[in-house]
Amino acid sequence: MFCKFIIIKILFYHFLYKTEPIPIYMEKRSTTDDDLIIANRELAFQKDEKGKRARELVIANRELAFQNKEKGKRAEELIVANKELAFQNKEKGKRAEELTAYKHFFYNSMDLACFATLDGYFEEINESFTTALGYTAKELTEKTFLEFVHPDDIEATLNELASQSLGVQTFNFTNRFKTKAGNYLHIEWNSVFNQDTQKIYATGRDISEKIVANEELAFQNEEKGKRADELIIANKELAFQNEEKGKRADELIIANKELAFQNEEKGKRADELIIANKELAFQNEEKGKRADELIIANKELAFQNEEKGKRADELIIANKELAFQNEEKGKRAAELSIANAELKKAEAEIRKFNEELEQKVIDRTEQLEAVNKELGSFSYSVSHDLRAPIRAINGYARILEDDYAGKFDEDGTVALNAIIRNSKKMGQLIDDLLAFSKLGRKEVTVSNINMKVLVKSVKDDLLFDDKENKTEFKIDTLPPAKGDQSLIKQVWINLISNAIKYSKNKAGATVEIGASEKGNEIVYYVKDNGAGFDMQYYDKLFGVFQRLHSQEEFEGTGIGLAIVQKIVSRHKGSVWAESILDKGATFYFSLPDINS
C-alpha cells in the first residue's frame, strides 16, 4: 500500500510541473483552429487529470494517516505482547515453583500417589505406594497395574478406566491390590484423566482397617441383634420360670402344711407309744404279781398236804376243803392260763404295735428328711438355675444402656432402667434364697463370741457403705455368748440394717442395741424409732418372702428375718419382736450364756 502511494505521488508531480509541450501546442494552435481545439481539449484533459491526481493525493494522505494510526495500534499491540510475554514468563516461574511443590507433595505424601497411562502401566509412583505394597518401583512399573488387582475387581477397574477416558473424574473408587506378601489391601482411589498429557493422576488410601472395622461393626450389630433375640427369649423364659416358681411356692406351702401335719401325727404317735409302754410295764408288773400268787399257792398246797397227814381226823373236812381248794385252784389255774394267754397276746400286740410305730417313725423321719433335702435342693436349684438368665438379662440390658441409650425415647429409657433394677432385685432375691437354703446344711461351730467387738464391726461396715446415713446409735453393755460367730454376725447385720432402713425417713433416727441376762441365756435386742409394724400381722413376720411394707416404701426381699430365725433356732435360742405402728420396733433374740 505504501509503495502504491509513492508511485501515485510521482505521477502527480510529473503532470503538475510538465509545461514544455505547451508551447508546441500553442504554436500549432496559431496555425489552425483545429490545433487550438485539440490543445484546449488536451488542456481540459490535463486539468481533469490534475483534479484526479489531487483527489488521489487526498486519498493518499488519508491512507498515510490511516497507516500511521495502524502503526500506533501495532506499537500498542507490541507493548501488550511484551507485557503478555513478561506475564507468561512470570506464570512459567510460578508453574515451576508449583511443579516443585507438587513433586514435594507427590513424593512425600502419606497417601499412595501415581501417574498412569490408559494402556495400564504406572509411569511414576511415590514411596508410600512402594511401602504399602512391598514392591520396588521397578517391579510396579514394568507390569500392567491390572496384574496387581484382585481378579474379582478387574472388571470394575476397567469400567472405571473407560469412564475416565471420557472425562469422568473418579471419587472414592475401591479395589484390592495384591502386596508382595501375598495378601490384598483395600485401596480407595481419587483420580482424574488429563486429555493433554493422556495420563491418569491418582491418589489412593489404604482403607483395609476401615473395611475390617466396618465388617466388625456389621458383625457386632448382627451379634447385638442375636443378643436382643436372646433377651426376648430370656424374658419369656423368666416369665415361665416365675410362673413355675409360683407353682413351686404353692407346692412348698402344701409341703409345709403336710410337714406340720406329719409333725403333729408324729407327736400323737409318740404320746401313744409312751402310753403303750406304760401299759406294757403295768401288765408286766401284774404278771409278776400273778407269778408270786402262784408260788404262794403252791406253798399253800404243800402245807395243806403236810397238814393232811397230821390231821387224819380232819381228812373228810380236809378232803372237802381240799376238793374245794382244788376247785378254786382249777379256777385260779384256768384264770392264770387265760391271763397268761392274754398277757402273751397283749405282749405280741404291743410288740407289733411298737414295731409298726417305730417303722412309722422311721418312715416319717425319712420322709421328713427327704422333704427337707428336696426343699433344700429345690431352693438351691431354683437359686442356682435362675442366676444364669438373670445375669444374661442384666448383661444385655447393660449393653442396651451402653450402646443404644441415645436411641431410646423417655418411655424406652424408663423401661430399660426397670429391667436393670428388677434384674438386680431378682439377683439379690436369688442370693438371699440361696443363703437361706445353705443355712440348713451349714455346720454350726460353737465358740465364745465377743459381742461388743462384733456389733461395732457390723455397725462400722454398714455406716461405711451408707456415708449419708444420719442414724444415731446407742450401744449398751453386750455380754459375751456362745455360738457360731459368722452366723451370729449375719443376725446382727440383718437386724441392724433393718433398723437403719425402716427409720431412715424419721427425723432424729435412733437405733438402740443392748442385752440382759435371763437364767442361762443372754437376751439381745435392737430397737429403733422407725416405721414399725402392725402386731396383728406378727405371724407373718419371720416367714420366707413375707413383707409387711410395700416395695415402694422400703426395698427388700423378705428373707432377712427368716434367716435370723433359722440361725437363732439352730443355736437353741428364740427370736421375737414387739412394735407399735409408726413408733418403731424392737427385735429380741436369745443365745446360751458363755458360763452356762
Side-chain angles (χ1 to χ4, degrees):
M1 182 64 72
F2 182 74
C3 294
K4 184 178 180 181
F5 170 73
I6 297 299
I7 294 170
I8 293 171
K9 191 174 182 180
I10 292 171
L11 290 173
F12 174 74
Y13 281 107
H14 173 75
F15 285 109
L16 182 64
Y17 298 107
K18 190 176 179 181
T19 57
E20 293 180 358
I22 295 176
I24 296 176
Y25 292 134
M26 291 299 294
E27 290 178 359
K28 289 180 178 181
R29 194 190 313 156
S30 63
T31 58
T32 61
D33 292 333
D34 294 333
D35 293 333
L36 182 59
I37 293 168
I38 293 168
N40 287 331
R41 289 178 176 172
E42 179 68 24
L43 180 61
F45 175 76
Q46 290 179 354
K47 288 182 178 179
D48 186 39
E49 290 295 317
K50 184 179 179 180
K52 290 181 178 180
R53 299 293 86 76
R55 288 194 295 273
E56 289 177 353
L57 182 60
V58 172
I59 292 170
N61 288 330
R62 289 178 179 175
E63 181 68 22
L64 180 61
F66 174 75
Q67 290 179 354
N68 289 332
K69 185 177 180 181
E70 288 295 314
K71 183 179 179 181
K73 289 181 179 180
R74 296 292 85 76
E76 290 175 356
E77 289 176 355
L78 183 61
I79 293 170
V80 172
N82 287 331
K83 290 181 179 180
E84 179 67 22
L85 180 61
F87 175 76
Q88 289 178 354
N89 288 333
K90 185 176 180 181
E91 289 297 311
K92 185 177 179 181
K94 289 182 179 180
R95 296 292 86 76
E97 293 176 357
E98 290 176 355
L99 181 60
T100 301
Y102 175 76
K103 287 183 177 180
H104 177 77
F105 166 77
F106 179 84
Y107 289 107
N108 293 282
S109 174
M110 298 298 292
D111 290 337
L112 284 65
C114 65
F115 303 154
T117 59
L118 287 175
D119 58 359
Y121 284 90
F122 290 119
E123 281 199 354
E124 193 167 356
I125 56 178
N126 67 353
E127 186 177 353
S128 296
F129 208 114
T130 59
T131 301
L133 296 180
Y135 300 102
T136 63
K138 183 180 179 182
E139 289 173 331
L140 289 169
T141 55
E142 66 186 6
K143 297 180 180 179
T144 64
F145 53 72
L146 290 176
E147 295 183 45
F148 301 96
V149 176
H150 192 283
D152 294 342
D153 297 340
I154 289 178
E155 183 177 355
T157 303
L158 290 173
N159 291 338
E160 197 65 29
L161 286 174
S163 298
Q164 284 207 334
S165 67
L166 298 176
V168 179
Q169 190 170 352
T170 294
F171 292 102
N172 303 327
F173 170 71
T174 302
N175 61 6
R176 288 167 286 180
F177 266 68
K178 185 177 183 179
T179 67
K180 196 167 185 177
N183 60 307
Y184 285 90
L185 298 181
H186 291 78
I187 300 178
E188 185 178 74
W189 296 99
N190 292 314
S191 60
V192 63
F193 176 68
N194 190 308
Q195 295 287 351
D196 296 333
T197 62
Q198 292 292 299
K199 293 181 181 179
I200 300 171
Y201 299 89
T203 60
R205 181 167 295 176
D206 182 6
I207 61 169
S208 300
E209 293 182 359
K210 180 180 178 182
I211 295 293
V212 172
N214 287 336
E215 292 175 352
E216 178 66 21
L217 181 60
F219 174 75
Q220 289 178 354
N221 288 334
E222 182 181 355
E223 287 297 310
K224 286 179 181 178
K226 292 180 180 178
R227 296 296 85 77
D229 295 337
E230 291 175 358
L231 182 60
I232 293 171
I233 294 171
N235 285 332
K236 292 180 179 179
E237 179 66 21
L238 179 60
F240 173 75
Q241 290 178 352
N242 286 333
E243 183 180 353
E244 290 297 310
K245 179 183 173 184
K247 293 179 180 179
R248 296 296 86 75
D250 294 337
E251 292 173 357
L252 183 61
I253 292 171
I254 294 171
N256 286 332
K257 291 180 178 179
E258 178 66 21
L259 180 60
F261 173 76
Q262 290 176 356
N263 288 334
E264 184 180 353
E265 289 295 311
K266 181 181 175 182
K268 291 179 180 179
R269 295 294 85 74
D271 293 338
E272 291 173 357
L273 181 60
I274 292 170
I275 294 170
N277 287 331
K278 290 180 179 179
E279 180 67 22
L280 180 60
F282 174 75
Q283 289 178 358
N284 288 332
E285 184 180 355
E286 290 296 313
K287 181 180 177 182
K289 291 179 179 180
R290 296 292 85 77
D292 292 339
E293 289 177 356
L294 182 60
I295 293 170
I296 294 170
N298 288 330
K299 290 179 179 180
E300 181 68 23
L301 180 60
F303 174 76
Q304 289 176 0
N305 288 331
E306 184 181 353
E307 289 296 314
K308 178 182 172 183
K310 294 179 179 180
R311 297 177 178 81
D313 54 347
E314 296 176 356
L315 182 58
I316 297 172
I317 298 172
N319 285 333
K320 290 180 180 180
E321 181 66 25
L322 181 60
F324 175 77
Q325 289 178 358
N326 286 333
E327 183 180 357
E328 289 297 318
K329 180 182 176 182
K331 291 180 180 179
R332 292 297 165 278
E335 289 176 358
L336 183 59
S337 178
I338 293 170
N340 287 333
E342 290 179 352
L343 182 59
K344 289 180 181 179
K345 183 179 179 181
E347 288 177 350
E349 290 178 354
I350 291 172
R351 189 179 300 108
K352 183 179 178 181
F353 176 78
N354 286 336
E355 290 174 355
E356 291 177 353
L357 185 60
E358 287 175 359
Q359 186 60 42
K360 286 183 179 179
V361 170
I362 292 171
D363 293 343
R364 291 291 187 272
T365 303
E366 290 177 352
Q367 291 175 4
L368 182 59
E369 290 176 353
V371 169
N372 286 332
K373 287 182 180 179
E374 185 178 353
L375 288 175
S377 299
F378 170 74
S379 298
Y380 182 83
S381 176
V382 168
S383 302
H384 185 272
D385 293 346
L386 287 178
R387 282 177 179 269
I390 288 301
R391 286 198 191 101
I393 292 170
N394 194 42
Y396 293 136
R398 291 292 183 187
I399 290 174
L400 291 175
E401 183 181 34
D402 294 340
D403 297 345
Y404 298 96
K407 298 182 180 180
F408 287 115
D409 57 13
E410 184 177 354
D411 292 339
T413 301
V414 170
L416 179 60
N417 290 333
I419 292 173
I420 295 173
R421 185 173 62 255
N422 283 285
S423 63
K424 181 179 179 182
K425 177 184 174 184
M426 188 65 183
Q428 183 61 46
L429 187 63
I430 291 169
D431 290 340
D432 289 346
L433 183 59
L434 187 60
F436 183 75
S437 67
K438 286 180 178 179
L439 283 177
R441 298 190 298 273
K442 187 179 185 305
E443 183 178 353
V444 177
T445 304
V446 178
S447 63
N448 295 335
I449 304 173
N450 188 332
M451 286 298 181
K452 183 177 181 181
V453 174
L454 183 61
V455 169
K456 185 177 184 304
S457 68
V458 171
K459 183 201 75 170
D460 292 342
D461 290 344
L462 291 175
L463 293 181
F464 180 81
D465 293 338
D466 188 5
K467 296 185 183 300
E468 297 182 358
N469 191 279
K470 305 296 184 182
T471 304
E472 179 185 356
F473 279 84
K474 296 180 181 179
I475 302 177
D476 202 353
T477 302
L478 297 174
K482 289 182 179 179
D484 188 310
Q485 181 157 325
S486 62
L487 293 179
I488 298 303
K489 182 178 181 179
Q490 188 61 51
V491 170
W492 284 115
I493 290 173
N494 290 5
L495 293 180
I496 295 174
S497 61
N498 274 0
I500 294 173
K501 177 171 67 176
Y502 289 108
S503 61
K504 66 180 180 180
N505 296 328
K506 288 278 188 175
T510 303
V511 174
E512 298 179 16
I513 303 173
S516 62
E517 297 183 12
K518 186 177 180 181
N520 294 328
E521 293 183 328
I522 304 294
V523 177
Y524 299 94
Y525 67 87
V526 178
K527 181 179 181 181
D528 65 73
N529 61 344
F533 60 88
D534 193 336
M535 288 294 288
Q536 67 174 324
Y537 302 112
Y538 181 83
D539 57 333
K540 295 183 179 181
L541 190 61
F542 296 100
V544 179
F545 303 128
Q546 297 295 326
R547 291 178 51 82
L548 304 184
H549 297 275
S550 67
Q551 186 69 26
E552 288 73 17
E553 289 181 290
F554 302 101
E555 62 181 13
T557 59
I559 297 180
L561 291 179
I563 291 175
V564 168
Q565 186 184 49
K566 193 164 188 177
I567 292 174
V568 174
S569 296
R570 295 201 66 191
H571 285 76
K572 310 300 182 184
S574 302
V575 59
W576 67 97
E578 298 173 353
S579 177
I580 299 176
L581 191 61
D582 293 328
K583 292 186 178 181
T586 305
F587 284 83
Y588 303 88
F589 68 94
S590 62
L591 292 176
D593 189 350
I594 194 171
N595 298 317
S596 61

